[in-house]
Amino acid sequence: MKTYLFYIKTTIKNSLFLFALLFMSFLTYKVYGAISISVSYFTSVYIYGIICFNLFLLTASTYTMLNSSTVLRFLERDKLKKQYALIVSCTIITLFIALFPIVLMLSFKNDLTPPIFLLKGMAHFLIIWLLSNLLAAVIGSSISLLVRNKFAYLLSLLVYGWFVWMSMHSPAKPINRYLNIFDDSTYILSNNISGPLFNRNYFLDKLFLILVLFLLIFLVRSVVASRKRAINYLILGGLIISVCVLPIWSHANHQIVRIPADQTAKSPYEIQKYTMNLELTNKLKNKAAIIINFPKDSKDIVLALDDIFVVKNLKLDHQPVSFTHKNNVVTIPSSHKHGESITLTMEYEGFVDVINDIGVNTYYVTKSAINLPGYFFDWYPNIKGQGPVDFDVSIDAAAKVYSNIPAASSNERHLTGSSNSLNLFTGQYQQVQSEQIQYIIPISDNIDGFKSSFQSSIDTIPEHAGLSKEDLFILKNKNYTRVIVSIWPFEINSHSVQVIGDTVLVNYN
């Protein structure tokens, strides 16, 4: 019999195993209703069920490593190989037990949940479940190898408890997110429209935990192993450096919400029309042709565009020109006379993965989830405060895209219309028609409940709230045709609603 199979049998025959399963079942019963909101939301509220099984594996691995019975000595005399076999057995048990919540997700999911979000949600749960349980098993087995007495139980609990304590903090800093062994959205309001975003930051976060696992393993090897100590020390040093550098490097590359570029002064030029060819995958790529008129003489053209984008090509009337792109504006040194009209063509691209100061997904572009509120986020070149502009937009995207600009005839990927901003959304949405108004709301919302809450927020808006009289009139008299739930930070706009032509954006929070 292989050693890890023996450890599987001895672990599941432990009386604590039955107690852990019973307690987990009770905790699951208390929160399984969260699955109907979203699978990712269930993962964030299932933290105590995860902790329960973590504690079982922590205790079981400590007990097994301290147990020096004749049978265990016969099966494996090498202490390090015994640890590795134990970690493999804990992995198998962890994956087997995960079948229970996975079946629940399939059984009680919201019927409106798109298949891609169901798969992503289950994958997210398995990653959190597996890594946290492996961390508990590695902590218990490693400390019991270093402390060969019953004090190992207390020390293992203290080390694991430190990780749990760090996970209880709101992720105000990147290091808090990295040390959170559970879902980052456990203690903050999550964005369930997008679900888990499997992007670079997500994988770096999980990579950090994997590095911590190997750090603990090689720390033990460096102390216990009698051979190849130089190699073990070298690997241990590399792991320590990686664990220290990764959060610092990640913080430097993290995209945080910035206040949009200030263009309060009246521009001597105006945009007449946009023609865009948008590609929205895991990166935003745009080929934009912009017709600009000059009612007055102008020396420079200044357009707002967030710095996360890289301008690949820029031409004026098909001629390449110099430009600068910094502080979220593109500046083109080009003089023009009153009455002129030019065509500016720009190609740019960038990864859109912007979070707010506590780590909530705010602006993002993936194949299945998009949040591009152009009124608040400069994802395309624009002039702040300008009136309605004509848009002709072709979109290449994997999922259905919702917008304040209507689709042209039956082609949902071709948008044409006039507005002061272009806003695009994709995610866990449902589209409901009620009283000749189109509501695009999260799948977790009930339309009657949403309408009641929405109307209540409108009724309580004071006249001095900052909205124009025209916007207040539109809201009070229901002179709109579309309502879309979006997300934007309150430091940019403190209103929960924003009127954009015949569309009302409602803040998800």
Side-chain angles (χ1 to χ4, degrees):
M1 181 189 298
K2 294 184 178 179
T3 308
Y4 72 87
L5 294 177
F6 178 81
Y7 290 147
I8 291 175
K9 287 186 175 182
T10 56
T11 300
I12 62 178
K13 288 182 179 180
N14 192 316
S15 58
L16 284 177
F17 180 69
L18 178 60
F19 177 78
L21 289 183
L22 290 174
F23 195 60
M24 277 182 57
S25 299
F26 171 74
L27 293 173
T28 304
Y29 169 74
K30 299 294 287 185
V31 300
Y32 80 94
I35 298 174
S36 63
I37 298 177
S38 75
V39 175
S40 58
Y41 181 65
F42 170 78
T43 301
S44 67
V45 301
Y46 193 57
I47 178 173
Y48 295 109
I50 297 175
I51 290 175
C52 175
F53 205 71
N54 287 174
L55 289 173
F56 163 71
L57 290 181
L58 181 80
T59 305
S61 59
T62 304
Y63 170 79
T64 302
M65 293 304 297
L66 289 178
N67 194 326
S68 57
S69 65
T70 304
V71 175
L72 291 178
R73 286 201 306 270
F74 174 76
L75 284 173
E76 187 59 73
R77 294 181 180 276
D78 189 313
K79 295 178 181 178
L80 293 177
K81 290 183 178 180
K82 180 179 178 180
Q83 182 191 28
Y84 305 152
L86 179 61
I87 293 173
V88 171
S89 68
C90 289
T91 303
I92 295 173
I93 293 171
T94 294
L95 293 176
F96 179 76
I97 299 300
L99 293 175
F100 175 52
I102 291 297
V103 169
L104 287 178
M105 293 174 190
L106 293 171
S107 303
F108 296 98
K109 71 181 188 302
N110 189 314
D111 292 336
L112 297 173
T113 302
I116 183 63
F117 283 98
L118 178 61
L119 292 174
K120 287 170 62 177
M122 291 191 297
H124 175 60
F125 173 82
L126 285 174
I127 291 171
I128 300 295
W129 174 259
L130 181 60
L131 286 180
S132 62
N133 279 309
L134 280 179
L135 179 65
V138 169
I139 290 174
S141 59
S142 297
I143 290 181
S144 54
L145 276 175
L146 299 175
V147 182
R148 303 298 299 168
N149 55 55
K150 292 184 178 180
F151 185 70
Y153 288 102
L154 177 60
L155 190 56
S156 296
L157 188 61
L158 289 174
V159 173
Y160 172 76
W162 180 79
F163 280 98
V164 173
W165 180 75
M166 291 299 297
S167 302
M168 297 289 184
H169 289 73
S170 296
K173 299 178 180 179
I175 189 62
N176 295 119
R177 286 189 289 273
Y178 276 106
L179 290 174
N180 188 344
I181 62 177
F182 309 115
D183 192 309
D184 286 345
S185 298
T186 300
Y187 297 101
I188 59 175
L189 179 66
S190 60
N191 177 6
N192 293 313
I193 299 176
S194 66
L197 292 175
F198 291 122
N199 48 31
R200 182 186 65 179
N201 293 321
Y202 183 92
F203 290 114
L204 288 176
D205 181 57
K206 306 314 169 193
L207 174 63
F208 180 84
L209 284 181
I210 293 173
L211 291 174
V212 170
L213 291 174
F214 280 101
L215 175 62
L216 293 173
I217 291 172
F218 275 90
L219 176 63
V220 173
R221 282 187 63 90
S222 300
V223 175
V224 176
S226 57
R227 296 181 299 173
K228 299 181 180 179
R229 286 197 169 183
I231 296 178
N232 290 332
Y233 285 138
L234 184 62
I235 295 175
L236 179 62
L239 288 168
I240 292 174
I241 294 173
S242 299
V243 167
C244 294
V245 169
L246 186 59
I248 300 173
W249 176 81
S250 173
H251 178 63
N253 291 275
H254 224 80
Q255 298 173 5
I256 306 295
V257 171
R258 292 185 288 263
I259 303 300
D262 183 17
Q263 290 181 306
T264 54
K266 181 66 176 178
S267 298
Y269 45 85
E270 59 186 15
I271 295 174
Q272 181 180 355
K273 182 179 180 179
Y274 288 97
T275 301
M276 297 186 188
N277 286 287
L278 269 172
E279 182 180 336
L280 302 173
T281 55
N282 288 323
K283 176 188 281 191
L284 185 153
K285 296 182 179 180
N286 193 10
K287 296 179 180 178
I290 309 170
I291 298 177
I292 302 177
N293 294 330
F294 293 84
K296 299 179 181 179
D297 293 348
S298 173
K299 292 183 178 180
D300 297 321
I301 300 174
V302 180
L303 302 174
L305 181 67
D306 199 280
D307 286 343
I308 66 174
F309 298 105
V310 176
V311 179
K312 298 289 188 178
N313 189 10
L314 193 151
K315 296 179 180 179
L316 287 182
D317 290 332
H318 309 292
Q319 297 297 320
V321 293
S322 61
F323 65 93
T324 60
H325 184 197
K326 60 182 180 179
N327 298 325
N328 305 312
V329 295
V330 174
T331 303
I332 306 165
S334 177
S335 299
H336 298 276
K337 298 294 184 180
H338 161 72
E340 278 192 57
S341 179
I342 64 167
T343 298
L344 184 153
T345 56
M346 182 187 298
E347 295 183 28
Y348 63 94
E349 62 183 48
F351 292 98
V352 184
D353 175 27
V354 183
I355 63 173
N356 64 10
D357 56 350
I358 59 173
V360 176
N361 300 326
T362 304
Y363 309 133
Y364 44 86
V365 171
T366 68
K367 291 182 179 180
S368 57
I370 296 169
N371 189 60
L372 293 174
Y375 190 86
F376 304 104
F377 174 49
D378 297 325
W379 66 267
Y380 65 92
N382 66 89
I383 301 172
K384 293 295 184 184
Q386 183 177 325
V389 181
D390 292 333
F391 287 91
D392 188 322
V393 184
S394 297
I395 301 175
D396 180 8
K400 179 178 176 59
V401 177
Y402 301 99
S403 176
N404 64 303
I405 302 293
S409 63
S410 60
N411 188 352
E412 295 183 348
R413 303 298 172 85
H414 186 197
L415 309 178
T416 59
S418 179
S419 177
N420 61 347
S421 66
L422 175 60
N423 306 266
L424 304 178
F425 312 100
T426 289
Q428 298 189 86
Y429 283 107
Q430 58 176 312
Q431 181 176 314
V432 183
Q433 194 78 20
S434 177
E435 298 177 348
Q436 298 182 333
I437 298 174
Q438 184 185 75
Y439 291 89
I440 299 165
I441 60 178
I443 62 171
S444 58
D445 284 1
N446 173 274
I447 182 60
D448 292 331
F450 175 83
K451 287 173 60 179
S452 176
S453 176
F454 175 56
Q455 190 59 48
S456 176
S457 65
I458 290 176
D459 293 339
T460 56
I461 294 177
E463 293 187 0
H464 58 276
L467 294 172
S468 68
K469 292 182 178 179
E470 292 79 6
D471 289 347
L472 288 172
F473 180 82
I474 290 173
L475 290 171
K476 301 287 185 181
N477 293 276
K478 291 190 176 181
N479 290 348
Y480 48 84
T481 61
R482 191 180 300 106
V483 176
I484 307 177
V485 174
S486 174
I487 184 169
W488 65 83
F490 281 114
E491 58 264 32
I492 291 179
N493 188 315
S494 60
H495 311 309
S496 60
V497 297
Q498 184 64 52
V499 179
I500 302 173
D502 64 350
T503 299
V504 178
L505 296 186
V506 181
N507 197 307
Y508 176 78
N509 291 332

